Amino acid sequence: MAQFNETELTAAVVKSFEQTPNPRAKFLLQELVKSLHDYVSKTGLTFEEWEYAIDFLTRTGHKCTDIRQEFILLSDVFGVSMLVDAVNHRDRDGATETTVLGPFYVGEHKVTPHGTDVSESLEGERMFVQSRVTDLNGKPLAGVPVDIWHADGDGFYDSQKETYATEGAVSRARFITDSDGSFFFRTILPCSYPIPTDGPVGEMIMQTKRHPMRPAHIHFLVNAPGYEPLITHVFIEGDKYIDSDVVFGVKDELIAKVEKRSDPTMPDGKKADAPWHLMTYEFRVKPGGGMAPKPLGTKVAEPA
Ligand SMILES: [Fe+2]
């Protein structure tokens, strides 16, 4: 039969994937078809709406570059990124909670000595971050690469600025944990910031009267060999947007109290020129494997 009614059409498209050699790919494609068809039927999608959706996705793709990922942003604001995170981390066994990678991880962070001020060139209140990586029993893990990145005092990541190509990374570095699992660095106190609103995703957020803000945070990627890569943020307690993150990424355990200090020296014994803030947070990682995210612009292979 060459002609299908609405129900038969869904069944026919599902069946068309029957010969897919990879069973998981077959399952994913068939379920995708069912969900898409269900959405169209349920909403009675018009031609104009379908055309708008195609144009929206096209513009989303055109906005992507090697250092900007508008599709990750789209996944984030729809809560899809956090749902993928949730279904893949149902049992933490006491490991630090995870959250979204976000669209600004560019990978290939440069190994940086402990204590470095990663935001040296930026205006802002100074902060000292001290941290440690342990296993689930609290045993320190040495030699672990930890990538950190955060926005500047105006709410922009280095990769969003024109100067990125010439000046390189700012507020973005890799630290390797010491024998006691520790690492520490200086930076500025990050502030809450809007997701980019100069692309189709930001436009949608504004048009739908959502706010575009993320509460202040630092991103951490802890990638200990033999352990699950830990992709997370540490949020700053008291932020105005802590309960309404536009990407739904906050978890209670990831909120840190940042103390305001006026001690003349910082924890590494170096002089403080002005009052400063102290963030202390420890990461516990879970045995296992898994892939750390690849730098943006990397061609992603088909999953096994
Ligand atoms: Fe961020």
Side-chain angles (χ1 to χ4, degrees):
M1 187 175 67
Q3 187 177 320
F4 309 99
N5 65 26
E6 283 180 28
T7 315
E8 290 164 347
L9 179 64
T10 304
V13 182
V14 167
K15 195 166 171 235
S16 73
F17 286 105
E18 205 54 47
Q19 302 306 316
T20 307
N22 180 321
R24 177 70 180 169
K26 173 178 148 182
F27 173 69
L28 292 175
L29 288 165
Q30 291 183 326
E31 290 303 312
L32 179 65
V33 167
K34 287 184 210 166
S35 294
L36 286 173
H37 282 221
D38 182 50
Y39 179 81
V40 172
S41 299
K42 212 160 45 186
T43 59
L45 198 72
T46 67
F47 279 113
E48 289 78 13
E49 289 161 346
W50 173 84
E51 214 166 33
Y52 185 88
I54 297 289
D55 179 60
F56 179 87
L57 292 172
T58 305
R59 287 188 292 126
T60 300
H62 285 165
K63 206 71 190 170
C64 295
T65 68
D66 281 355
I67 52 170
R68 175 166 180 170
Q69 235 306 350
E70 193 79 358
F71 271 115
I72 291 185
L73 190 61
L74 182 60
S75 164
D76 289 353
V77 302
F78 276 145
V80 173
S81 306
M82 280 309 286
L83 192 55
V84 173
D85 176 69
V87 301
N88 283 279
H89 296 119
R90 285 189 171 127
D91 195 356
R92 296 305 293 146
D93 296 331
T96 302
E97 288 289 349
T98 51
T99 187
V100 290
L101 176 68
F104 301 115
Y105 180 68
V106 298
E108 305 296 339
H109 289 192
K110 200 170 133 215
V111 174
T112 305
H114 292 190
T116 301
D117 189 343
V118 298
S119 300
E120 203 172 15
S121 57
L122 300 178
E123 296 263 322
E125 295 181 41
R126 311 321 293 182
M127 182 165 75
F128 189 95
V129 180
Q130 57 185 10
S131 184
R132 212 162 65 103
V133 178
T134 73
D135 70 6
L136 295 181
N137 300 314
K139 187 182 123 208
L141 296 177
V144 176
V146 181
D147 283 346
I148 70 102
W149 65 107
H150 71 82
D152 67 14
D154 294 322
F156 293 103
Y157 283 80
D158 53 358
S159 59
Q160 292 178 279
K161 299 183 196 170
E162 277 176 15
T163 49
Y164 184 64
T166 49
E167 290 177 17
V170 179
S171 307
R172 185 184 292 279
R174 173 171 296 177
F175 298 98
I176 309 291
T177 59
D178 271 340
S179 55
D180 62 352
S182 70
F183 66 97
F184 58 94
F185 59 96
R186 291 169 168 75
T187 188
I188 55 166
L189 186 67
C191 60
S192 43
Y193 67 84
I195 57 159
T197 50
D198 62 341
V201 175
E203 280 167 26
M204 176 185 73
I205 293 297
M206 303 315 281
Q207 285 166 359
T208 53
K209 307 296 178 199
R210 288 173 59 180
H211 76 65
M213 301 301 290
R214 298 218 61 210
H217 58 270
I218 297 183
H219 292 256
F220 290 86
L221 165 58
V222 181
N223 194 14
Y227 293 80
E228 277 185 4
L230 173 66
I231 299 168
T232 197
H233 307 358
V234 177
F235 294 92
I236 295 176
E237 190 183 67
D239 189 282
K240 186 177 165 193
Y241 298 100
I242 206 88
D243 294 323
S244 64
D245 183 3
V246 67
V247 306
F248 311 94
V250 179
K251 292 179 180 172
D252 292 344
E253 190 201 281
L254 299 177
I255 303 173
K257 198 186 224 16
V258 173
E259 303 166 35
K260 189 148 193 181
R261 308 291 282 258
S262 50
D263 319 24
T265 52
M266 291 193 178
D268 61 352
K270 292 200 178 144
K271 198 169 162 286
D273 299 327
W276 49 284
H277 300 266
L278 176 65
M279 175 189 274
T280 306
Y281 199 90
E282 296 198 358
F283 300 97
R284 290 161 84 95
V285 290
K286 191 179 168 176
M291 282 190 337
K294 294 184 178 60
L296 289 184
T298 307
K299 187 166 175 352
V300 179
E302 207 175 292

